[in-house]
Amino acid sequence: VAEMVCGQQYLTCKLYAVPANDPETHCACAGQFYGICLREAGCAARRYLDCVDEHIGNDCADMSVCGSNCVAGGNALDLSGAWIIPVNNYAANFMRISTCDLSVDQETFDKFGVVRMRRCKEPGPGVQSGESFKICPYWIPPSTFTAVAIEQNSTYMRVEYANFVATKAVKGQGLSRSENATLRASSPYLANVLRNPPAREYYGTEQLWPSSIDIEYSGSNYCESNAECEGSYCNKRYVPHKCAPKAAKHFERNAKKFMDHTYATGQDEPMKHAYEDDWKNDL
């Protein structure tokens, strides 16, 4: 519904904004549609290619509209003082972006002449806002090549691997009926930020940042639980754990062996179904 409302506002803008039927007008309307309205509706990532095509078609001046605005919690409209950094996500996981704007540890530098960055903390009770990570509300989808806008005074960026898990896969395993109902009602998907692979960190200054950030390719997504691998299971023989691919044997045997190990020899070790994972400790 929210996406339809955004589409109606976008059409009205293109038809009635002055000057009408003009490329600059279309670019301004597209900036509101893709850069603000669709993001608030939660469907900007799905319309990413549409955003790119329309901006190219109208030769718009600002392609960062199609990226992920992480400045001021995604609410800043003026990005003239921000860093626009291309992010090429070759991996199969979502990427959560966080930034830290704490400067050099001055006490350590004065005493020992060592340049060491002060570390931000996870947002939470007792953590002051100036000491915590600024978590970008827009995540980078798998196999997506886009850009992020971050504050100019950011000192380093943290990139974490993550998965979205269907809420129905979390049912049972110690959760009460009311807890399951609450999970399903709150959202059809839950976000799980992985501890392994560890987060990547990229450093910069107000004058210089990397020209791009490239997340290395992975054949399948990293995981912590079977529920993160639809139609498969999380193969914990790999480090970091990865979702196992399917083989011909999975489609030639009875259904109860559909979750058997892909490369097992001899007697296959039976695998638990994705819904049998204990997710209570992971939430």
Side-chain angles (χ1 to χ4, degrees):
V1 176
E3 184 177 0
M4 292 178 60
V5 172
C6 290
Q8 292 171 355
Q9 295 175 350
Y10 183 35
L11 180 60
T12 301
C13 181
K14 290 194 294 184
L15 292 176
Y16 298 106
V18 178
N21 200 27
D22 179 77
E24 290 190 7
T25 301
H26 284 192
C27 290
C29 295
Q32 296 290 322
F33 177 60
Y34 292 105
I36 299 176
C37 197
L38 285 186
R39 285 174 175 169
E40 292 178 349
C43 47
R46 186 167 56 82
R47 298 292 298 273
Y48 172 72
L49 293 180
D50 295 335
C51 179
V52 172
D53 290 341
E54 290 199 36
H55 277 69
I56 291 177
N58 291 295
D59 195 22
C60 298
D62 185 10
M63 285 298 294
S64 66
V65 170
C66 300
S68 297
N69 179 10
C70 302
V71 179
N75 296 316
L77 299 181
D78 183 9
L79 301 180
S80 58
W83 280 103
I84 309 298
I85 304 176
V87 177
N88 300 310
N89 183 12
Y90 295 95
N93 292 78
F94 283 85
M95 295 293 156
R96 185 174 79 160
I97 306 293
S98 308
T99 60
C100 178
D101 57 10
L102 296 181
S103 59
V104 173
D105 188 333
Q106 193 63 41
E107 183 178 357
T108 301
F109 181 76
D110 293 340
K111 287 184 177 180
F112 308 106
V114 176
V115 177
R116 187 175 68 181
M117 303 304 300
R118 295 167 60 198
R119 309 297 296 178
C120 282
K121 302 176 182 177
E122 289 293 338
V127 179
Q128 298 181 5
S129 59
E131 298 179 350
S132 63
F133 280 105
K134 295 177 174 60
I135 299 177
C136 183
Y138 308 110
W139 294 14
I140 310 300
S143 303
T144 298
F145 312 109
T146 180
V148 296
I150 63 174
E151 285 90 346
Q152 190 175 21
N153 65 340
S154 299
T155 53
Y156 70 94
M157 176 192 299
R158 181 182 65 175
V159 181
E160 299 171 283
Y161 289 79
N163 286 313
F164 280 98
V165 184
T167 307
K168 64 181 181 180
V170 189
K171 66 182 179 180
Q173 299 304 312
L175 296 177
S176 66
R177 182 174 298 178
S178 61
E179 288 175 325
N180 279 315
T182 301
L183 281 174
R184 289 193 295 271
S186 62
S187 174
Y189 291 92
L190 296 174
N192 182 41
V193 178
L194 305 182
R195 294 178 291 271
N196 196 16
R200 303 315 197 238
E201 293 182 351
Y202 302 88
Y203 292 81
T205 67
E206 292 191 24
Q207 290 76 36
L208 184 65
W209 268 86
S211 58
S212 68
I213 291 176
D214 297 329
I215 310 300
E216 59 267 24
Y217 172 81
S218 60
S220 60
N221 63 305
Y222 295 107
C223 57
E224 288 182 347
S225 156
N226 290 345
E228 297 172 69
C229 307
E230 295 186 3
S232 186
Y233 64 92
C234 185
N235 190 347
K236 297 185 178 180
R237 296 177 178 178
Y238 286 107
V239 179
H241 307 327
K242 297 181 72 172
C243 293
K246 307 307 290 185
K249 67 179 183 181
H250 293 114
F251 302 92
E252 297 170 350
R253 301 178 178 181
N254 294 339
K256 288 186 177 181
K257 295 186 177 181
F258 191 70
M259 292 294 180
D260 283 353
H261 283 297
T262 304
Y263 302 113
T265 57
Q267 184 66 31
D268 285 341
E269 177 184 343
M271 293 299 303
K272 291 183 177 181
H273 191 274
Y275 293 175
E276 295 179 12
D277 275 278
D278 184 359
W279 266 82
K280 188 170 184 181
N281 294 329
D282 295 337
L283 296 176

